[in-house]
Every structure is written in C-alpha cells, then in structure tokens.
Amino acid sequence: QVGEQLLRFRSYRAKSKPRALLPREATILFSDIWNYTSLAESRPLEETIGQLNEVYKKLGRKIIKHRGMLMTYLGDAMMAVFGADDDMSAIPSNHAELAVRAALDMLDAMEELNTEWSQRGFPQLKIGIGVATGEVMLGDVGVTGHREFAAMGDTTNVASRIEKLTKTHDVHLLVNGETARRVGNAFSLVELGTVEVKGRRKPVDLYHVVGPL
C-alpha cells in the first residue's frame, strides 16, 4: 500500500519490452471468503489449503470465461481486472457487465462447491464480491527479467473496500455507482445509498446486485 492507493500485481514471464503504466478505464473485482481466518484456525492445514484450492480453481474459471484477467490471490481473496489483457489489445468495451456476470457465476459456483463439501463433511463457505468501474493505471512495474503487470489506483481501492462491506450489509455482491450505471439495464439492482470508504474522501454510491433481469 502506497499512501491511500492499493497496488495489485500479476506476475508473469517478462517480455522484451515493458508496457508503460498508462491510465485506462477498467473494472476491478475483489472476492473474499467470510470468516475464513477463524475457520482455518480450527482445521488441519492440509484440509484448509485443499478446500481453498478448490475455490481458486472453480471461481478462477468463471473470471477467465468472462474475459477477466486474474491478477492475484491474496490469502483467501482473489482480485481480477476486466478491460485489459496481457498485450493490451482487443479490450472489451462492456467490461463492467462482464465483471458482474463473472461475479454472479462465481456465486453460483460457490453454491455448487458447498453442495459437494456437505457430502464430504467439509464446512460451508460464503464469499463477498466487490466490483468497481473507473480509471486505473495499467502496465508493467519491476526490473528487467522480473516484471509484473499492475492495476493500481482509486478504483482498485474502491473495489477492495466495498467487498469488505458485503458482510456488513449481509449481501454477496456490491458494485459502485459507475458499474451500476453501465449495467443497470441488464441486472436487478438495489440502491443502498452512499458510504464512506477508508482511504477516500469522496463517498461511494453503493448498489446490491440481486441478479440478471
């Protein structure tokens, strides 16, 4: 964390020419497992990691299916960017809608996993997802031989913060006002008003995504 801006990175094999950090409109998605820390403390490590890997695998496929770039795993959390790819070409203009559809598919995938886990005696898990659309800085950081593709800026911060509000509001998918504005004709949304988020002076318009129309 640098100042009030969260930095998120995706490691990859360095190419010969680095991509400059440039401002670009994109949609950021964060997901996190509710109460995972306390749950993990009471279980064998191998069982905990095995269950977490199943989450990564199944939910990660949903992100890729909807043209998202899976940037990083953060413990029990995942972060992805929609509106970018490795060579910064063929960028989808409907990245906000793709991100929300990926998020809804991720929630369906968690229900499938929970059904499987109940048959194996594993605990049920719930996730929260935050999605924010806006300007981010996308490009390479690092040194020759080991560079990372980064997505950083206020939009990344907002997505991370509103994901943490899902538990407070007892809902599983929250989006910011800009995402809601772009996808309102495709999904059922409930306006939750404006909220203050840590590290940001201006409040954020918050919406709960109920499902597709």
Side-chain angles (χ1 to χ4, degrees), residues 9-146:
F9 305 100
R10 178 178 183 268
S11 295
Y12 72 105
R13 184 174 296 176
K15 299 182 179 180
S16 58
K17 185 177 180 181
R19 296 162 292 188
L21 276 168
L22 296 173
R24 181 179 293 275
E25 186 182 79
T27 299
I28 305 295
L29 179 152
F30 273 89
S31 72
D32 199 6
I33 299 174
W34 291 358
N35 299 326
Y36 191 76
T37 301
S38 58
L39 183 66
E41 287 177 347
S42 60
R43 303 175 62 207
L45 178 61
E46 296 83 357
E47 185 178 295
T48 300
I49 297 302
Q51 194 171 8
L52 187 58
N53 278 335
E54 291 184 51
V55 173
Y56 286 159
K57 184 176 180 179
K58 193 150 192 169
L59 273 60
R61 285 175 175 169
K62 304 303 180 183
I63 291 170
I64 295 169
K65 171 187 172 183
H66 292 282
R67 302 182 65 184
M69 179 184 289
L70 186 57
M71 299 288 283
T72 189
Y73 302 109
L74 308 166
D76 56 314
M78 301 170 67
M79 182 262 190
V81 59
F82 295 77
D85 61 19
D86 274 335
D87 58 10
M88 301 294 283
S89 64
I91 306 298
S93 60
N94 61 334
H95 47 79
E97 180 178 343
L98 290 171
V100 174
R101 293 197 184 282
L104 291 171
D105 276 3
M106 291 165 70
L107 294 175
D108 289 341
M110 281 302 302
E111 290 186 10
E112 295 173 3
L113 284 172
N114 280 324
T115 299
E116 296 173 12
W117 290 333
S118 65
Q119 298 171 355
R120 292 153 56 187
F122 283 10
Q124 309 292 284
L125 300 180
K126 295 181 179 180
I127 63 170
I129 302 175
V131 175
T133 302
E135 187 177 85
V136 296
M137 295 295 292
L138 290 173
D140 292 339
V141 296
V143 297
T144 302
H146 183 77

Side-chain angles (χ1 to χ4, degrees), residues 28-30 130-132 154-164:
I28 305 295
L29 179 152
F30 273 89
V131 175
D154 179 61
T155 302
T156 302
N157 187 36
V158 170
S160 175
R161 298 306 184 191
I162 65 176
E163 179 277 313
K164 297 184 186 308

Side-chain angles (χ1 to χ4, degrees), residues 30 128-132 159 161-176 179 190 192 206-209:
F30 273 89
I129 302 175
V131 175
R161 298 306 184 191
I162 65 176
E163 179 277 313
K164 297 184 186 308
L165 294 174
T166 57
K167 190 177 178 183
T168 302
H169 290 272
D170 195 27
V171 297
H172 295 284
L173 176 53
L174 293 173
V175 302
N176 73 337
T179 302
V190 176
L192 301 179
L206 197 63
Y207 291 80
H208 168 218
V209 180

